[in-house]
Structure formats: structure tokens, C-alpha cells
Amino acid sequence: MTMALPSFLGATATSQPLPMQLDLDDPERAISQLKAIRNAVIGSRTKKSSLVHTRVIQQLVELLHVDLGATPHAFDLVSLAATIVASLANTPAHSTMLQLMRSGTHDALLACLTNLTHDLNRSGRHILDPVHGSFDTLRLLESVLRALRSIL
């Protein structure tokens, strides 16, 4: 599955250009692309307000619905999507918040919490048990709760 990214996230003179497609068929590449988006929007009101008026918001919402057991990279993908949503929600622009709400990010974040609960129940793990050598579950919970706090 390939997702298009907006062209406004292009490179500055000293940085690498950001990808124009989010390649979900290659989870490792998608993770690096999400990190690039995260780094581009954090602290930039202009990029935040531009990003919320693109299809990327809907694509982040779709990522928040990913089954956490589907791939070993699911926790990273969903956590990065939640972090980006949280960053977008930390803006004084009312139009940005309105667009986030219209896109259903709040419902997707709540669904993500439900998916996390189901994954923990299905696996019999505790929230503090490491997944794939790190505390992915706790990191995901923190990202989703931070995004919910910012939106609500």
C-alpha cells in the first residue's frame, strides 16, 4: 500500500528531500518516512497547517487503525502516527484543530487504545513487558494518550 505525501514537505538546502510516497509495503522505509514527517512538522506552524489540509491526515488516521499484531513494525508505525497527530494538535490555529476533528482523529485514537487493549489481552503480556526488545507497548500508550490530550 502506498500513500502520497504533500510536496510542501520538501527539503531545505541542507537536508535530504522528504519522500513523496509513504511506502507501507516496506515497513522500515515507512517508519523512516514517518520520522521525517514528524521532524518536519514539530515546531513548524506553517507545515502543520498545510499538512492538515492534505490527504495525509486521513492516511495517519488509517495507520491508527492498524492491527498491532499484523507486523513486528506495527507498534512503531502506529506510535509515529500518534506522535504526528499530537504535534499537529499542538497548534493555536482553530482551522487545524477543526480539520483534525473532521478527519476523525479522536475516534481513531480511541480505536487505537482498544486495539492496544485487545493485543495485550490476546498475547497475555503486561503493558511493561518488552516487545521486540523494547518497551513498544508503553511507548505506544504514551503517544496515543499524548495525542488524545492534545486533541481533547
Side-chain angles (χ1 to χ4, degrees):
M1 176 196 302
T2 302
M3 295 184 180
L5 295 179
S7 60
F8 76 88
L9 290 175
T12 61
T14 60
S15 69
Q16 295 262 357
L18 291 176
M20 295 305 295
Q21 299 264 328
L22 187 56
D23 184 6
L24 294 181
D25 292 330
D26 181 357
E28 290 178 6
R29 184 166 179 234
I31 289 169
S32 67
Q33 292 170 327
L34 285 167
K35 286 179 181 179
I37 294 169
R38 177 196 62 194
N39 294 340
V41 298
I42 290 177
S44 174
R45 290 183 189 171
T46 304
K47 289 184 180 178
K48 287 178 186 181
S49 65
S50 296
L51 182 65
V52 297
H53 297 291
T54 67
R55 176 152 158 52
V56 172
I57 296 304
Q58 192 57 41
Q59 295 164 340
L60 292 173
V61 168
E62 292 169 13
L63 275 176
L64 292 171
H65 287 284
V66 166
D67 177 11
L68 296 172
T71 172
H73 301 286
F75 281 87
D76 289 329
L77 292 166
V78 176
S79 180
L80 285 165
T83 300
I84 293 167
V85 168
S87 178
L88 294 172
N90 282 321
T91 182
H94 296 298
S95 63
T96 300
M97 288 301 293
L98 182 61
Q99 191 61 31
L100 286 172
M101 297 302 282
R102 284 181 178 158
S103 299
T105 53
H106 56 293
D107 289 332
L109 289 163
L110 291 172
C112 186
L113 284 177
T114 302
N115 289 343
L116 180 57
T117 302
H118 290 181
D119 184 69
L120 287 170
N121 289 336
R122 181 176 53 228
S123 67
R125 288 189 330 270
H126 185 273
I127 190 107
L128 295 176
D129 291 342
V131 178
H132 310 294
S134 67
F135 295 98
D136 290 341
T137 309
L138 184 59
R139 186 168 44 102
L140 175 58
L141 178 63
E142 290 171 345
S143 297
V144 172
L145 291 177
R146 189 177 311 111
L148 275 170
R149 182 188 67 212
S150 297
I151 283 186
L152 303 177

